[in-house]
Amino acid sequence: MRRKTPETATVARDLEQLQQIAKRLRVDILRSTTEAGSGHPSSSLSAVEVVTALYFGGFLRYDPKNPHWPDRDRFILSKGHAAPVLYAALAEAGFFPREDLMTLRKLGSPLEGHPNMARLGGVEASTGSLGQGLSIGVGQALAARIDRKDYRVYVLTGDGEIGEGQIWEAAASAAKYRLDNLTCIVDRNHYQQTGAAEEVLNMDPIDGKFTAFGWHTITINGNDLGEVVQALRRATEYRGQPTCIVSLTHKGQGILPLLEKLGDTNFHGKPLPAKYLDEALALLG
Amino acid sequence: MAGATSALQSKRPLGKATRDAFGRALEALGAERPDVVVVDADVSNSTRTEWFGQKFPDRFFNIGIAESNLVGIAGGLASCGKTPVIASFACFIMCNGYDQLRMAVAYPGLNVKVVGTHAGISIGEDGASQMGIEDVALACSLPGFVVVVPADEASAKAATRAMLDHRGPVYMRLGRPDVPKVYETDNPPFRLGQANTVRDGRDLTIVANGLMVAAALDAADQLAAEGIEARVLDMHTVKPIDREALKKAAQETGAIVVAEEHLAHGGLGSVVAMAVAELEPVPIRYVNLGDRFGESGSPEGLLEKFGLTAENLAAAARAVIAAK
Ligand SMILES: Cc1ncc(C[n+]2csc(CCOP(=O)(O)OP(=O)(O)O)c2C)c(N)n1
Ligand SMILES: [Mg+2]
């Protein structure tokens, strides 16, 4: 029997409410990175549905008033440069006031360029050096087993990030210990820093690789909230193997027409210039 | 602190970033050096090796986000007579690739050129995870490695050539932001292992590298107004350290301040202290990052917060003179 979500956690009534939340996260991502004048909005935007479903679709059990509650579920943002989507979710969930999002990347703010668990409650791993989050997730999933706790661990990686060998070392160890309390979501947004992920280092078939490593795999349209919710439900219920969700997404989802107009549909590691912010927000509806 | 000036706020003329100078120099040297092969791990638009890649696509490989593999591949290339140049952020190439640097490069003594960009806290907003602040210590701990930290655009260009001309493993540390010019000429003197005296003085010596050389020159200006004459050494090569220049500095000025954008442990300060303690013990003070990680913020704000300004250097100079 799974413990109930603490009453302090936000759970959306229905898909429509989830969609409203997803839109707010997108707005926050764009506003906070434009205000910061640096950061990775496009990498954050592709993952909005996954993060929204995890935090507000009833999957993650957390207590924003007690971020270190030992029984909480863990979400590790292995692609740490997408910190703005994590911060937007934590603000929406009530870990800190929404205004704090505007301190992103500023001196003294705990909302650092990449997540730092030593300074911000709700951050479950300090990331930013790609390739490391899944191993940390394996460690947390093993700790749950030792302590006979039923918390679950979710790790989000990039599709370029899985070029790091450590990801596959972690994958093999998770399969060895049959960590069905661990879910890895690969944000398959088809781009990495220097170009198309398929061209820089083609890792296809990603699902086939995880299958070969002993994982249960699901492939979905990761920008469709309904599909994300269903896949997370299946992953949560699946027994005997860890699950990898290959989440097919678009980098910059939500503002794609603008990125096309700007001639850069990767838009890696740049904030939207302030003069395009209104146009971008209008696209979000 | 009012009036705190980091190197990035210096009144000296601004030059390009050292990573830019390296990228252009590498591109220019590609034609005369057909042995050079450049390997990237998905950051060539940050490290500037993309300029070489555009010109010499047959000798450029992007192997994805995989720094351990990057270093191993370089070892293989070097063992077949190539001169591989591998570049990534200083923290990723040194920390993620360290065992490979040890086994595939340093142990067999292969001719691999390792370049770490985005070193120090002056990268700013990206924060601690992207800041190489331990890279010099790690590189110095690899037997046989030469370790170079150029101060400005012109010296980074010269250092790139010197790195390729040297036979054996080299680590070169570069920065992200545009930095003030230390040298007026485009072709400053540059010999590996030989410090440049960029200002002479008799009251103390400031030994610096990277962007701290410009800060040291600004500090020397401030000190001169108080009648203190500081010698400034651009110690661009940390290993092998210029023992002669240090001995002379100790004998002739009797006090030393060491300045670097690096952790206290294992960087230029440690290397200078070892040499001076052996050759001619004199009082030494250190200006560095101490024993702490960086954080997010503006480059200027961080340099001030972490105590790497000209004013911090001048204060250390007064303290070390008082200890004479
Ligand atoms: C170990 C390491 N190497 C390099 C980088 C620099 N870097 C930051 S983001 C990025 C590209 C990431 O691509 P992907 O995983 O596909 O994420 P996306 O931004 O597309 O979501 C790179 C190379 C890093 N952060 N860590
Ligand atoms: Mg990607």
Side-chain angles (χ1 to χ4, degrees), chain A residues 159-160 187 189 191-192:
Chain A
D159 53 351
D187 187 11
N189 62 18
Y191 276 116
Q192 49 193 98

Side-chain angles (χ1 to χ4, degrees), chain A residues 43 46 79 81 157-161 187-193 195 197 249 251 266 268:
Chain A
S43 307
S46 60
K79 45 173 265 186
H81 58 286
T157 74
D159 53 351
E161 179 181 8
D187 187 11
R188 178 77 174 115
N189 62 18
H190 300 277
Y191 276 116
Q192 49 193 98
Q193 180 171 322
T249 61
K251 204 156 169 172
N266 185 4
H268 185 84

Side-chain angles (χ1 to χ4, degrees), chain A residues 105 113-114 128 164 193-194, chain B residues 42 45-46 62 67 126 130 296:
Chain A
R105 292 174 159 252
H114 296 73
E164 287 282 4
Q193 180 171 322
T194 56
Chain B
D42 195 34
N45 46 357
S46 297
N62 180 357
E67 293 78 10
D126 270 347
Q130 317 292 299
S296 290

